[in-house]
Every structure is written in structure tokens, then in C-alpha cells.
Amino acid sequence: TEHAVDFIERKKDDPFFLYVPHPQPHVPLAHDPRFAGTSTHGMYGDVMHELDWSVGAILDALDEAGVADRTIVIFASDNGPWLSYGDHAGGTGGLREGKGTTFEGGIRVPCIVRWPGHVPAGRVSSTPWRSIDVYPTIARVLGVCDASTVDGVDATEILAGKQRESSEPTLYYY
């Protein structure tokens, strides 16, 4: 988090890409000692407190650098929880199964996008898009390549609250 904040401060006058993967919620769990015992949900809750602090610090850094209004922030999980780890893994919100399966609990995860002026604040969408769609979406926004030449589907219409141009889903199997 400190490196991310420093990076934002140093790069605020230039276009930048910042990828911040948080490993703390993966088994074995780990958190900074400052967050030990801060929740009522054990170590996993403490990890969530640290994650919340980290994301907040990064968003604050974007605001302080004056670049928040021209920055796309995507926060997503990589997959559902390990159900066999009890209170060290979170939950699926009632979806079937979890990590390591192709049931909804393993692959349907929350995604939060902040892009002022483009993604309506407070909107909730149940339209699925996949992590494979992030690259072509960013590529289209930046105009760096034809998004149709890479795997995935441009999701800017979904983010803007519109329907996709095509009603036919594009599926990638691997």
C-alpha cells in the first residue's frame, strides 16, 4: 500500500497503470500486526480490515494527487472462497460451492468499478463480465489497440449501465 501511494504521488502527472494484488485473504492468512484483533470475526475479519484500510489509502492518494476523476479503479476477487477453511475464507452469499469449482460460488465474485463520469455511482449490475474482459476494455478506453484483436470482450457498455451491442455471449473455454 505504501509503495502504491508513493507510485501515485510520483506518476500523477503521467498516464500510469497500477496493479495491486492483495495476497492477505488467501490461505495461509496474514495481516499486519496493527490489524490483529480489530474485528469480531477473527483473523479473516482482521484481514478484511487491513484490506479496507489499504484500498481506502489508495483511493485517498488518487484524490490527493488530483487524478481520481480520470482514473479507472477496478476492485475484484480472483475467485470464490475456500469453503474447507471455515472462518478463514469468507462466504459465497448463498451461491453453490466455492474456489476450485466452476459453480457460481467459485467463479461469480464481486467487482467494484470506480470511473467518475463513466460508471454511474451506486449502480448495481448483475450483467456478467469476466476478468478476461478487463484488457480489451482498458485497451478500448485508451485507444491503444483494436479490442476485437485480443481475447475477451470490451465491457465499457456494461460499465456505463447499457446493454452490450450483441445479445450473443462470447465464451472462452480453456
Side-chain angles (χ1 to χ4, degrees), residues 11-24:
K11 298 294 185 179
K12 66 183 177 187
D13 296 323
D14 301 309
F16 63 84
F17 175 84
L18 175 62
Y19 175 67
V20 183
H22 289 93
Q24 301 96 311

Side-chain angles (χ1 to χ4, degrees), residues 140 144 155:
R140 176 169 182 243
V144 296

Side-chain angles (χ1 to χ4, degrees), residues 10-131:
R10 287 184 291 111
K11 298 294 185 179
K12 66 183 177 187
D13 296 323
D14 301 309
F16 63 84
F17 175 84
L18 175 62
Y19 175 67
V20 183
H22 289 93
Q24 301 96 311
H26 290 81
V27 176
L29 296 180
H31 59 67
D32 186 288
R34 295 177 289 177
F35 295 91
T38 61
S39 81
T40 58
H41 296 286
M43 182 178 257
Y44 191 77
D46 296 349
V47 167
M48 292 300 104
H49 278 186
E50 181 175 2
L51 193 58
D52 181 63
W53 163 81
S54 175
V55 172
I58 292 168
L59 295 177
D60 287 348
L62 292 170
D63 288 335
E64 291 169 15
V67 299
D69 287 343
R70 58 185 173 96
T71 302
I72 301 171
V73 176
I74 301 173
F75 180 90
S77 180
D78 58 351
N79 46 41
W82 283 116
L83 298 179
S84 59
Y85 284 91
D87 65 354
H88 278 74
T92 64
L95 300 176
R96 183 176 175 188
E97 293 297 329
K99 186 186 300 239
T101 74
T102 55
F103 290 107
E104 278 194 287
I107 59 172
R108 187 174 186 164
V109 296
C111 177
I112 302 169
V113 178
R114 185 179 88 167
W115 186 18
H118 301 277
V119 175
R123 187 177 68 80
V124 175
S125 174
S126 61
T127 303
W129 64 297
R130 299 155 299 275
S131 57

Side-chain angles (χ1 to χ4, degrees), residues 99-169:
K99 186 186 300 239
T101 74
T102 55
F103 290 107
E104 278 194 287
I107 59 172
R108 187 174 186 164
V109 296
C111 177
I112 302 169
V113 178
R114 185 179 88 167
W115 186 18
H118 301 277
V119 175
R123 187 177 68 80
V124 175
S125 174
S126 61
T127 303
W129 64 297
R130 299 155 299 275
S131 57
I132 198 171
D133 299 335
V134 172
Y135 181 77
T137 302
I138 300 296
R140 176 169 182 243
V141 168
L142 297 176
V144 296
C145 75
D146 178 0
S148 68
T149 63
V150 295
D151 287 346
V153 178
D154 170 24
T156 53
E157 290 181 3
I158 293 172
L159 297 178
K162 302 172 186 172
Q163 293 297 320
R164 285 186 190 234
E165 290 177 14
S166 170
S167 60
E168 295 295 322

